[in-house]
Structure formats: C-alpha cells, structure tokens
Amino acid sequence: MANVTSTWTEPSNTPLTLLLLGKGTDPASERGVDCPGDLPAPSDPDLVARATAAKAALGSRVFVLGHHYQRDEVIQFADVTGDSFKLAQQAAARPEAEFIVFCGVHFMAESADILTTPAQKVILPDLAAGCSMADMAVLGQVETAWEHFEDLGITDQIVPVTYMNSSADIKGFVGRNKGVVCTSSNAKRALDWSFEQGSKVFFLPDQHLGRNTAVLEMGFDLDDCVLYDPHKPKGGLTDEQLRNAKMILWRGHCSVHGRFTIDSVREVRERVPGVNVLVHPECRHDVVRAADYVGSTEYIIRALDAAPSGSAWAVGTELNLVRRLALAHPDKQVMFLDRTVCYCSTMNRIDLPHLVWALEELVAGRVPNVITVDEKTAHEARVALDQMLALP
Ligand code: SF4
C-alpha cells in the first residue's frame, strides 16, 4: 500500500469563518479577536487552587461576574451570577472594585464598561468570547437600513429598539435615534413605550424576541411584522410592506435558542406525559406558541424554584443553566428540551485556564483584555439604557 501523508492547512479567514480559539483578528465583529497570553493547560491540576489564590490576593479590588450560561468551573468563582442586565447593574453597584472580570460575552462586558466609572476596568478573560446574535447586526448594515427608511419618509414614525444582546455601537445608534434598549424581561414594557412615541418599531437584532413579544404579548398579527434581511437589497421588502408594517424585525437570532424546534416539543410531550415545557423568548415563534411557559433566564430560574416536587420540566435554554437547575432540584424532573447538546460555544470560550490567566495577570500588575467603549458611543448607548431604566 502506498504511503500517504497529508498535511492539514488551516483555511484563510473568510467573512464567515469561525475563528479558532483565540486565533485570528476581526475587530469589526464580535466573532472574536486575538487572545494574547500564556494560558495554563486545561489539565493543570492546580487550576482551582491558582484561581482561589489569585482571587484572594486581589481581595475587594476584583469583582467577578458570572453569566448563567457559563461553565460550572467558572461559575464557582463568580461573586454574583445573573443575566446580562443584572450583571451590568451589579458591576455599576461596585465602584470600589478596580477590576470587573466579566465571565460572559463581549457585548455584556461593553455594557458593564458603559455603566461603570472611568476608573474601573472591565476584563473579558477571552477576547474571542463574542455573541453570534450581536454579530448579526453590524452598525454599517443598520445605518444603511435606516437611510432606506429615510428615503421612504418613515423614520419619524419609527422607534428603534435593541435587545440588550447587541454591540455598544448598535445601542448607540438606538440612543441617538431616540429609541430604547430592552431585555427579555421588559421587552413588552419597552414596546408599549415605543408605540406611544411612534407607530412602528425597528427591532434589533433578535427577530424572535421581537415577534414573540409583539404577537403573543401585545396582540399584533404575524402579518404586522416584516423581516428585514440586511443581506438583501432594501432588506428584501417592498416599500409597501415597510410602510404597512408595525414591527420591522431585524433578521438576527440566537444560535442556541434558535435550534429548538416544534419537533423537540412534540417529542418530549410524547416521551414524558404531563411535562411542562418552559422556554426562553429567543426561541422560534412556533416553539414558544407550543410551550406552556415562556420567560427570561431569571423567570426560568424562578419558575423551577416555585415548581412542586415531582413535577417534570423540559427547559429550552442554554445547557449549562439547565444542568445546574437539574442538579439544584433533585426532587423535580428537569430535562433539556432537545436531546442534542446545545451549549453556547462563545460563552464556553471562557474556561478556567482563561480565568486563572486573567486573575494572575492582575496579581502581577498587568491588566489584560480590557473592554473599552469610546466616549461618544458610550454616551449615546447610555441614553438608550437610561431610557430603559425609566420605562414605566
Ligand atoms: S446564548 Fe445566544 S444570545 Fe446568548 S451569548 Fe450565546 S449566541 Fe449570544
């Protein structure tokens, strides 16, 4: 038999390439940028001891935030856990902490930087931890869409609303166009306020949260919603469609929640009689319609806390959280809505080696991976965030 040798060559980056862990740069995107640093090996048996020692050495100078979707190995070192907005608020409530180590993704660290004092440094342990949903709305695309709406003469009717899960420059765009940021907990209140200011909403970047809130909570028809595809000329919509629409939804979605299907719901109902299906509003419209309960991450946690012993729950959200909930409620049957594994791959880029590295750098007097939002963008984004905080 002939001796065959082959050499694998890493393909060069294209606009769609998923960057390898910590390799490659794409500063115009949240797909990830270089992660400098000499990371400890994941197999290092001293990682827990090293993180514990570094955190103790830093004391109150450091505050570690852990998003609910983070791995257990990271969550164990979080001073507080929560969803993206709760974590940004917690960061803002700790002005004495010099360093905010944000175990989450890039847009969350940006929000924390916007809400904390200039003296505080927000650190993302792996700069390659972006969010695919946030990446689906790039400022240039959004400005092109807005110019199109201006040409149609409809911008004075439109209120832009962006989900917290968007980059700082999208929040800035919304702030300078008199709009508002929303979370999955207050999306209805944000839309109620927006429809008092105008007759249309331009909803970024998660089409599902926008559609689910408008149709299921506010009584709009599906036909009131149109989908603006930034990759098609004029968003793939006619002038008439845009003029008639009440909700102009940006074509973005969460790569995790968007994976649940109506078949997942049917299958679990057949397999587990009496099961309660509980999903996040980033799931597709048909999935949310077929579920028994829908709500934010914090809602999901509260629902399981309040559930009676012996009840069965199929949960449609990120797997790290579902696993932790299952462990926290051994008296209840808590299962993942879909049988296939569904971690958020970018969230999972923050692992113990990256956390150890970031903390040890701080102990050594170096400040790694600082996330900074420029002053103008931060000011405009803050206008949209403050509008959210002022929602009735
Ligand atoms: S779970 Fe979805 S929205 Fe959240 S960080 Fe991952 S891709 Fe983004």
Side-chain angles (χ1 to χ4, degrees):
M1 196 168 128
N3 228 352
V4 180
T5 55
S6 68
T7 309
W8 184 76
T9 311
E10 195 175 311
S12 56
N13 290 338
T14 70
L16 297 176
T17 308
L18 179 63
L19 297 172
L20 295 182
L21 191 62
K23 287 188 177 178
T25 57
D26 185 4
S29 150
E30 289 212 15
R31 285 186 306 125
V33 289
D34 267 334
C35 187
D38 201 4
L39 294 178
S43 56
D44 183 338
D46 297 330
L47 286 179
V48 170
R50 285 171 64 176
T52 306
K55 201 164 171 245
L58 291 162
S60 61
R61 295 173 66 206
V62 72
F63 191 55
V64 180
L65 302 173
H67 190 273
H68 286 310
Y69 299 166
Q70 288 288 306
R71 304 155 178 258
D72 291 350
E73 67 186 34
V74 168
I75 283 288
Q76 66 181 318
F77 291 102
D79 292 307
V80 64
T81 59
D83 62 12
S84 57
F85 184 62
K86 178 180 165 190
L87 293 180
Q89 280 180 315
Q90 288 285 326
R94 294 290 188 295
E96 71 282 4
E98 231 175 296
F99 309 117
I100 305 290
V101 175
F102 208 125
C103 300
V105 294
H106 191 265
F107 76 81
M108 300 177 185
E110 284 186 326
S111 298
D113 183 54
I114 291 166
L115 294 172
T116 48
T117 68
Q120 291 175 287
K121 301 271 178 267
V122 178
I123 291 142
L124 188 63
D126 184 349
L127 290 180
C131 163
S132 54
M133 180 201 284
D135 266 354
M136 290 176 195
V138 176
L139 182 61
Q141 297 172 323
V142 173
E143 286 178 334
T144 301
W146 195 253
E147 282 162 19
H148 177 42
F149 304 157
E150 275 171 345
D151 291 343
L152 288 177
I154 56 173
T155 42
D156 58 344
Q157 302 162 38
I158 302 179
V159 178
V161 179
T162 190
Y163 188 22
M164 193 73 181
N165 301 17
S166 56
S167 59
D169 54 10
I170 296 298
K171 293 186 180 82
F173 164 86
V174 167
R176 69 177 168 272
N177 288 291
K178 302 187 176 62
V180 63
V181 175
C182 75
T183 66
S184 49
S185 313
N186 65 19
K188 179 180 181 305
R189 281 197 290 137
L191 290 189
D192 283 339
W193 174 84
S194 300
F195 280 107
E196 285 165 13
Q197 319 302 311
S199 56
K200 294 177 191 296
V201 160
F202 180 32
F203 196 91
L204 299 151
D206 183 15
Q207 58 167 302
H208 300 303
L209 178 65
R211 186 181 294 107
N212 289 330
T213 310
V215 174
L216 299 176
E217 293 196 53
M218 301 186 63
F220 286 116
D221 287 334
L222 279 175
D223 289 345
D224 293 325
C225 308
V226 292
L227 194 59
Y228 189 98
D229 184 343
H231 301 290
K232 290 184 178 165
K234 297 187 174 186
L237 296 167
T238 64
D239 294 353
E240 196 190 357
Q241 282 176 306
L242 283 166
R243 285 205 174 92
N244 292 339
K246 292 197 173 73
M247 290 286 292
I248 303 170
L249 304 170
W250 190 259
R251 188 168 184 168
H253 65 271
C254 167
S255 320
V256 174
H257 294 96
R259 283 190 57 185
F260 297 108
T261 64
I262 188 82
D263 288 339
S264 326
V265 180
R266 287 194 191 115
E267 193 272 335
V268 80
R269 288 202 194 281
E270 274 168 28
R271 189 160 48 88
V272 187
V275 71
N276 297 282
V277 177
L278 169 61
V279 301
H280 193 282
E282 288 172 21
C283 291
R284 291 150 52 142
H285 186 65
D286 56 351
V287 172
V288 170
R289 260 192 190 284
D292 301 301
Y293 303 95
V294 56
S296 65
T297 307
E298 298 286 344
Y299 171 92
I300 289 171
I301 293 168
R302 285 197 305 273
L304 285 172
D305 283 346
S309 257
S311 54
W313 294 82
V315 186
T317 191
E318 210 272 349
L319 186 51
N320 273 314
L321 176 60
V322 181
R323 275 188 51 247
R324 263 197 300 278
L325 288 169
L327 289 172
H329 297 283
D331 58 325
K332 301 161 199 171
Q333 197 185 346
V334 179
M335 67 207 86
F336 196 48
L337 176 58
D338 193 287
R339 281 175 187 264
T340 54
V341 174
C342 202
Y343 290 107
C344 173
S345 58
T346 47
M347 280 273 182
N348 271 264
R349 286 179 184 245
I350 309 284
D351 56 9
L352 197 47
H354 281 88
L355 180 60
V356 167
W357 170 72
L359 292 172
E360 289 183 347
E361 285 290 290
L362 292 175
V363 172
R366 295 181 291 268
V367 187
N369 293 8
V370 177
I371 302 299
T372 312
V373 178
D374 71 80
E375 217 171 295
K376 179 175 179 292
T377 306
H379 170 74
E380 290 172 341
R382 188 149 191 157
V383 169
L385 285 162
D386 285 346
Q387 183 55 63
M388 173 177 78
L389 295 174
L391 285 173

